[in-house]
Amino acid sequence: MSGYNYEEDSPLANKSNIPEKSFLESLSDDGLLEYIAGLSQEQGEDHGEQYSRGDYFHDKQKRQEKQDREFRERYGNGSELFSGISIYVNGFTKPGRLQLHEMVVANGGKFVHFLSCKGRVSHIIASNLPLKKRVELASYKICRPEWIVDSIEEGKLLPWQDYALLSDQDEIQPKLPQTAIVSCKHPDFLKQFFSKSRLHHLSNWKSDLRAEFCERFLEKPLRIPGKSEVVTVFHIDFDCFFASVSAAANGFDIHAEPIVVCHGTKNSDIASCNYEARRYGIRNGMWVGTAVRMMPRGKKLVRLGYDFEQFELMSKRFYQILHDSQFELVLPISIDEAVCVTGYLTHSECELICRGIRENVSNVTNGCTVSIGCGGSLVLARLALKRSKPDGYQIVDCDGLDDVFWSHLKIEDLPGVGHSLACKISEYSYPPIGNLLELRQMAQDSLRRCVGEKMGNKIYLAVRGKDDEESCKMIYEPRQFFQRKSLSIDINWGIRFDTIYEIDEFIDRCTQYLIDKLRELDKKTSQLTLKIMKRSKDEAIEPPKYLGMGKCDPVARSTRLGVPTDEFGVIATEIKSTFRSLCCPPRELRGIAIQFNKLEKTASNQAKLPFVDAKIYQNLPSDVKSEIGRELNKRSINIRRTAPKRINSYQEQFIQELPTQIRGEVENEIHITNKVNKTKFDEIKEQVAKRQNEKVNAKSHFLGENTILLPIKFQNQTNFKKIIQLVMNWVDGTIRSQGPHEKDLRLFEKYLQRLSDTNRLPLVLRICKLISVKLELRSEFFSHCNGFQEWEKVLLQMILPKLNKNKHTFQTVRKLDIDFDT
DNA sequence: TCTTTTGAACAG
DNA sequence: CATCGCTGTTCAAAAGA
Ligand SMILES: Nc1ccn([C@H]2C[C@H](O)[C@@H](COP(=O)(O)OP(=O)(O)OP(=O)(O)O)O2)c(=O)n1
């Protein structure tokens, strides 16, 4: 077990180099606490080591090494040429793997068959390495086999750099900067993904604009129009924004040919297409493959990439122009779209403004055009905008609302009405309603019956050119309207995990991402929601879109925290525990979303005193402990023993059963989960549960103490070890075929239920653990079998919920991976 | 009956 | 290579109380 090397790596070791101020002294209070926690963790991870597939290879390697020694004794000439060097051969080489093996071993080197663990291999030998592999192995020294041959010939170790594989190939292939393969398991996945996600940019830009609006508002309170005032609304929006900007940036004429902005070639979303492309029926949000098929034979579709910086820049200039104009309000809708409000203006005044803005924007954006809709209400401006596109403007006067205007608009053109509602409305009456002129005939009541109370109202007003109350808030209470009410992260692309650990880590990273934002807002949250996307039954493992989510079943669960918090530990633990309660097999997960639903202002009066937990302090490496102790003392930071917890008897019993080396870890986890549960709200729940428990206990006492001690039989067997044996055989016998028989399963469930009813939950846990290990072992060959999947289901949907139901927070899947020696 | 949670829909 | 299917909001039905 190799420990963390404090001599070399600890910044403490360098303190002599910084005579004025020691490393510890240079840290802020928070920094110091974090550093201490870090040390403690790094130590903790060491005992986390456990039996794994790697060990198998390790053993195999040991045997190989023995053989090699024998080989060397017999055939070697005592040369130490490759002493201290261990090589691994990748792919086809000349000379071949076997010869290289003998050459290296005969000359005192080591030959490694598996790249199981970094650090064991010093050099990789390869003649040819595919890009993927090359990136994967980027941190190794990789060279051609000639290095071995020539070194032996010369009788001395030649510099491997002269034979490096990468150097010459890199010149041939143009450098692909930073295209390292970053899967969802990689710490940088989020960053990578977001940097290329248009929807992430769109969302982020929007919240930034809203935040900026609120700030501006604080600085210089704007005059908000009174409700009875006549207003003029300008709704301004770029024509096919991404397409226009990308085209201009790449020197394409937006009017000359059909252009789309996208990443890929087939199942890639089209973010924006120009009006030339729309002539063929191509629309934003379509897949490229579909769009290509819509093109006439022989006509080419131009694909352009994203240029987010350029989008942002053009938007800045656009908004600058709006702010410089004399509007009373400039309300941000999105990166390329804004609503501007003034008091009453005549038709010709409106016309002047529209022309001016269109001219000005085009001038500073390389000819990108905006269209403008102008009217006496939000909805009229919105509809006028629709009619004005592309590259135009339309002003609708209140009295000029003619039938032509309405008949040219479709139901989906109404704000808030999408495909689903449009279908519903259209089919509600016969003949089906096709345009807004027809919709105007529909009675308010039947509209409400059709689409619900609020939406019915809204639509009824909208087709009469009026805004409903909710929409009006944007103008009359803009501050409240643009105030952020929740905070969330959604990842539904690239999610492919194998184990719950990996998901845990991912959840940690997502939580950290959210908490950073939360703290920046100076807020806390009191309600969390976890939403996951789970591959739908009967859907292919890999959907058409590369790393896409495919068709999924969404499942969500929310949690209330008794006290608002911004603490990572509390939130991350809660989310991870929620994830487990959703019982999703790791491999079936296709998307994760975490939301902070309720945001509350951080109360400034109850600032927390910093302290260090005594247990963490005790776990510090001894060489730094005293020094840290002095530093803490100097700053009057307490080392505090956290209040002794009421550990319920299950937990105590469970812990005593554990091998000592993992006891600490489990205790620690229980500590974390208890912390979550110790919120006020849960305390009440706990008390209620406790009272009920007491009742049950009293009852079982009444029935006779021996209920707890009475042996429980399964298949007429009382010896637990034998029962386990039986179950294991059962699993093995059915894993390749159809899985457990329903009748057997019912008996087994009954047995488990009786175990858990009689305080013998650790035994259930043990069975659970053993089955899970068995599945893990068999997964390599049988994971596609019906039986395997059935057993996985039994584990996740029958056994695990039993453990969870008893309010034991320790019996997560993670805990089940602890090694028992049976 | 009222409140809370969940899920659907929508927008860009 | 592919591909980057986010995120905040509102409403209503369902589920509790
Ligand atoms: N499904 C969508 C819709 C929009 N966008 C992006 C690209 C658009 O350029 C930008 C603005 O959206 P709009 O709805 O305003 O669409 P366009 O500006 O592309 O076209 P239009 O002229 O219809 O406004 O948002 C996107 O990425 N994916």
Side-chain angles (χ1 to χ4, degrees):
Chain A
M1 216 183 272
S2 68
Y4 184 72
N5 190 340
Y6 296 101
E7 295 289 298
E8 262 175 45
D9 296 331
S10 166
L12 283 173
N14 297 332
K15 106 176 124 75
S16 55
N17 301 336
I18 320 160
E20 319 86 323
K21 213 171 181 190
S22 85
F23 169 74
L24 285 182
E25 281 170 337
S26 71
L27 292 172
S28 68
D29 280 4
D30 284 348
L32 181 65
L33 295 183
E34 223 166 84
Y35 177 66
I36 293 173
L39 282 185
S40 196
Q41 260 176 24
E42 277 160 40
Q43 250 209 341
E45 272 166 19
D46 254 7
H47 359 238
E49 214 169 322
Q50 47 179 298
Y51 157 82
S52 69
R53 186 164 159 265
D55 291 351
Y56 164 75
F57 288 126
H58 182 75
D59 291 339
K60 197 157 175 184
Q61 180 75 34
K62 277 267 135 60
R63 259 177 282 139
Q64 180 69 55
E65 276 168 24
K66 186 157 163 275
Q67 276 178 23
D68 286 348
R69 270 197 304 278
E70 288 163 6
F71 175 85
R72 183 165 144 76
E73 272 160 32
R74 208 170 304 165
Y75 305 106
N77 53 7
S79 155
E80 292 288 339
L81 186 61
F82 293 120
S83 160
I85 286 175
S86 24
I87 71 154
Y88 167 78
V89 174
N90 188 291
F92 177 76
T93 53
K94 192 165 168 245
R97 167 192 301 266
L98 201 63
Q99 286 161 286
L100 286 172
H101 183 166
E102 291 175 359
M103 288 182 194
V104 170
V105 169
N107 287 281
K110 267 196 191 168
F111 189 89
V112 177
H113 285 278
F114 314 99
L115 266 184
S116 60
C117 150
K118 218 184 138 188
R120 205 174 284 165
V121 172
S122 65
H123 296 74
I124 290 177
I125 307 295
S127 291
N128 212 327
L129 218 47
L131 183 68
K132 182 176 172 215
K133 203 84 183 180
R134 227 192 310 160
V135 174
E136 219 172 274
L137 305 176
S139 57
Y140 288 94
K141 298 168 181 166
I142 307 176
C143 47
R144 287 175 281 123
E146 284 84 352
W147 177 57
I148 307 275
V149 180
D150 292 0
S151 290
I152 291 173
E153 210 163 281
E154 297 261 344
K156 65 173 187 195
L157 198 63
L158 301 169
W160 71 272
Q161 287 88 345
D162 292 351
Y163 296 88
L165 181 66
L166 294 183
S167 59
D168 53 357
Q169 292 224 342
D170 274 358
E171 284 158 24
I172 300 166
Q173 283 215 349
K175 262 230 159 65
L176 298 165
Q178 299 292 23
T179 34
I181 291 162
V182 173
S183 84
C184 59
K185 303 174 186 178
H186 193 282
D188 288 342
F189 171 76
L190 274 188
K191 209 174 137 214
Q192 265 261 356
F193 172 59
F194 281 162
S195 75
K196 301 189 175 185
S197 160
R198 75 187 203 280
L199 291 172
H200 170 76
H201 278 92
L202 235 42
S203 283
N204 247 14
W205 283 327
K206 183 163 173 166
S207 12
D208 287 351
L209 285 166
R210 285 175 162 225
E212 196 190 316
F213 176 89
C214 291
E215 271 169 40
R216 227 177 248 277
F217 209 97
L218 279 182
E219 275 172 31
K220 185 172 75 100
L222 295 163
R223 199 187 74 83
I224 301 171
K227 286 205 180 176
S228 54
E229 269 178 73
V230 178
V231 292
T232 308
V233 180
F234 295 82
H235 198 134
I236 312 171
D237 178 301
F238 273 95
D239 300 318
C240 51
F241 182 56
F242 283 15
S244 303
V245 175
S246 274
N250 292 293
F252 283 87
D253 179 357
I254 194 73
H255 305 296
E257 46 197 332
I259 295 172
V260 298
V261 173
C262 57
H263 279 298
T265 53
K266 209 174 124 220
N267 302 322
S268 168
D269 277 27
I270 292 172
S272 180
C273 59
N274 66 351
Y275 281 79
E276 198 55 30
R278 289 183 205 193
R279 279 185 26 197
Y280 306 107
I282 297 170
R283 294 287 176 274
N284 287 0
M286 260 182 194
W287 282 4
V288 177
T290 317
V292 168
R293 263 176 270 126
M294 299 178 88
M295 296 294 296
R297 202 171 276 289
K299 189 116 175 143
K300 234 181 70 194
L301 182 66
V302 178
R303 286 180 287 110
L304 297 179
Y306 297 83
D307 189 342
F308 294 116
E309 278 182 32
Q310 196 68 6
F311 299 155
E312 209 172 326
L313 180 64
M314 295 303 133
S315 169
K316 281 243 157 61
R317 294 181 180 168
F318 164 68
Y319 269 99
Q320 192 57 52
I321 288 171
L322 300 185
H323 286 304
D324 291 344
S325 310
Q326 296 298 308
F327 294 116
E328 284 173 31
L329 285 172
V330 177
L331 306 166
I333 303 297
S334 82
I335 180 84
D336 79 321
E337 190 172 346
V339 164
C340 302
V341 183
T342 69
Y344 176 77
L345 295 175
T346 64
H347 190 98
S348 53
E349 283 171 322
C350 291
E351 205 159 308
L352 223 56
I353 290 177
C354 288
R355 288 185 183 174
I357 288 178
R358 278 167 42 76
E359 169 96 26
N360 288 340
V361 173
S362 174
N363 283 341
V364 296
T365 57
N366 307 323
C368 295
T369 56
V370 293
S371 296
I372 305 178
C374 175
S377 68
L378 287 166
V379 68
L380 275 183
R382 181 82 189 65
L383 294 172
L385 170 67
K386 176 73 196 176
R387 299 268 286 123
S388 73
K389 273 180 174 288
D391 194 14
Y393 66 92
Q394 172 149 116
I395 300 156
V396 289
D397 303 313
C398 292
D399 47 357
L401 286 175
D402 53 2
D403 289 357
V404 180
F405 177 78
W406 295 112
S407 65
H408 278 85
L409 290 162
K410 290 179 291 161
I411 305 179
E412 284 200 59
D413 293 334
L414 287 171
V417 178
H419 178 253
S420 167
L421 273 180
C423 290
K424 233 186 199 172
I425 295 169
S426 158
E427 290 161 9
Y428 195 74
S429 64
Y430 190 86
I433 291 172
N435 61 44
L436 295 193
L437 185 62
E438 291 162 16
L439 186 57
R440 271 161 74 91
Q441 309 304 317
M442 205 159 159
Q444 188 170 20
D445 263 0
S446 46
L447 254 178
R448 280 205 282 239
R449 267 198 307 279
C450 174
V451 296
E453 170 102 28
K454 296 267 179 101
M455 188 51 81
N457 236 0
K458 183 187 161 101
I459 292 172
Y460 181 84
L461 289 171
V463 290
R464 282 159 183 79
K466 296 191 181 94
D467 297 324
D468 70 317
E469 206 167 331
E470 198 60 40
S471 318
C472 283
K473 284 187 182 158
M474 187 158 84
I475 296 181
Y476 300 113
E477 297 162 73
R479 272 239 282 163
Q480 193 212 331
F481 185 89
F482 289 113
Q483 186 70 229
R484 176 194 282 278
K485 289 150 200 96
S486 71
L487 180 63
S488 65
I489 181 172
D490 289 55
I491 312 287
N492 296 305
W493 186 88
I495 300 296
R496 297 290 186 280
F497 291 110
D498 292 309
T499 69
I500 190 94
Y501 306 92
E502 291 161 358
I503 296 174
D504 276 349
E505 279 175 16
F506 190 75
I507 289 176
D508 280 345
R509 288 186 210 114
C510 292
T511 306
Q512 192 59 57
Y513 173 88
L514 285 181
I515 285 182
D516 288 347
K517 286 197 166 191
L518 188 67
R519 298 220 169 120
E520 199 154 313
L521 297 168
D522 198 24
K523 294 274 175 70
K524 299 197 174 209
T525 183
S526 60
Q527 185 179 24
L528 312 172
T529 301
L530 173 69
K531 186 173 104 184
I532 63 169
M533 298 302 243
K534 188 176 166 185
R535 178 174 68 94
S536 289
K537 202 167 171 297
D538 301 330
E539 280 296 305
I541 303 279
E542 283 308 324
K545 189 198 275 289
Y546 174 69
L547 288 182
M549 66 199 282
K551 190 169 165 290
C552 287
D553 300 324
V555 199
R557 186 154 299 175
S558 59
T559 317
R560 267 165 193 274
L561 306 171
V563 178
T565 183
D566 65 348
E567 278 179 59
F568 174 84
V570 174
I571 294 172
T573 310
E574 190 59 46
I575 297 290
K576 283 183 271 189
S577 138
T578 307
F579 180 80
R580 285 168 171 77
S581 78
L582 294 176
C583 291
C584 176
R587 287 179 224 265
E588 302 292 286
L589 189 68
R590 291 289 177 273
I592 294 187
I594 300 172
Q595 305 168 355
F596 295 171
N597 306 89
K598 291 208 155 55
L599 302 182
E600 300 177 25
K601 207 132 195 80
T602 297
S604 51
N605 53 356
Q606 44 174 321
K608 259 191 354 188
L609 291 172
F611 74 94
V612 174
D613 187 278
K615 195 171 279 153
I616 288 178
Y617 178 73
Q618 287 306 328
N619 278 340
L620 287 174
S622 52
D623 50 342
V624 292
K625 193 159 34 179
S626 61
E627 194 173 346
I628 283 180
R630 275 198 300 280
E631 189 66 32
L632 290 174
N633 200 7
K634 209 156 75 187
R635 301 183 188 208
S636 354
I637 295 176
N638 287 329
I639 298 169
R640 199 190 297 165
R641 196 163 290 283
T642 41
K645 302 172 296 266
R646 230 180 335 135
I647 293 182
N648 82 33
S649 61
Y650 293 159
Q651 286 183 4
E652 265 167 359
Q653 201 181 335
F654 168 70
I655 285 170
Q656 272 158 24
E657 271 211 1
L658 292 175
T660 41
Q661 75 269 20
I662 56 166
R663 214 177 270 181
E665 195 190 335
V666 173
E667 274 178 340
N668 196 29
E669 179 133 331
I670 290 174
H671 169 72
I672 293 171
T673 42
N674 276 350
K675 209 157 118 190
V676 174
N677 292 335
K678 276 293 179 279
T679 53
K680 269 186 196 159
F681 183 78
D682 279 7
E683 226 157 51
I684 295 168
K685 269 205 223 161
E686 206 172 277
Q687 280 170 8
V688 172
K690 204 178 143 210
R691 231 173 297 145
Q692 280 177 350
N693 238 344
E694 280 165 3
K695 249 194 250 168
V696 172
N697 280 345
K699 207 168 165 190
S700 69
H701 266 275
F702 179 69
L703 290 175
E705 288 173 15
N706 57 355
T707 45
I708 289 177
L709 302 170
L710 200 70
I712 297 172
K713 287 186 191 173
F714 180 60
Q715 302 280 298
N716 260 339
Q717 203 34 274
T718 53
N719 178 314
F720 187 65
K721 269 194 182 161
K722 292 219 175 118
I723 290 176
I724 282 182
Q725 197 62 54
L726 204 66
V727 172
M728 289 301 116
N729 288 341
W730 182 30
V731 174
D732 262 338
T734 52
I735 196 165
R736 310 166 63 167
S737 49
Q738 290 306 307
H741 193 281
E742 207 180 292
K743 250 187 192 164
D744 293 340
L745 206 56
R746 270 205 300 275
L747 286 175
F748 183 53
E749 177 164 33
K750 228 162 140 186
Y751 170 65
L752 293 180
Q753 191 57 51
R754 273 179 295 164
L755 282 182
S756 71
D757 284 347
T758 53
N759 279 6
R760 269 172 274 207
L761 220 63
L763 298 185
V764 181
L765 180 56
R766 193 132 143 190
I767 290 175
C768 188
K769 150 78 183 165
L770 285 168
I771 294 178
S772 108
V773 165
K774 177 128 291 185
L775 291 183
E776 184 72 36
L777 273 172
R778 298 282 182 266
S779 66
E780 195 175 348
F781 299 110
F782 300 134
S783 63
H784 61 281
C785 294
N786 251 347
F788 181 92
Q789 282 155 18
E790 283 304 310
W791 276 110
E792 208 172 31
K793 221 159 74 189
V794 169
L795 188 67
L796 287 166
Q797 293 177 6
M798 182 179 116
I799 311 183
L800 266 186
K802 265 197 207 337
L803 292 165
N804 279 312
K805 216 165 68 191
N806 286 276
K807 248 302 181 194
H808 287 260
T809 36
F810 56 80
Q811 72 310 53
T812 57
V813 173
R814 184 186 193 105
K815 283 300 134 239
L816 300 177
D817 279 336
I818 294 163
D819 241 349
F820 276 95
D821 30 63
T822 18

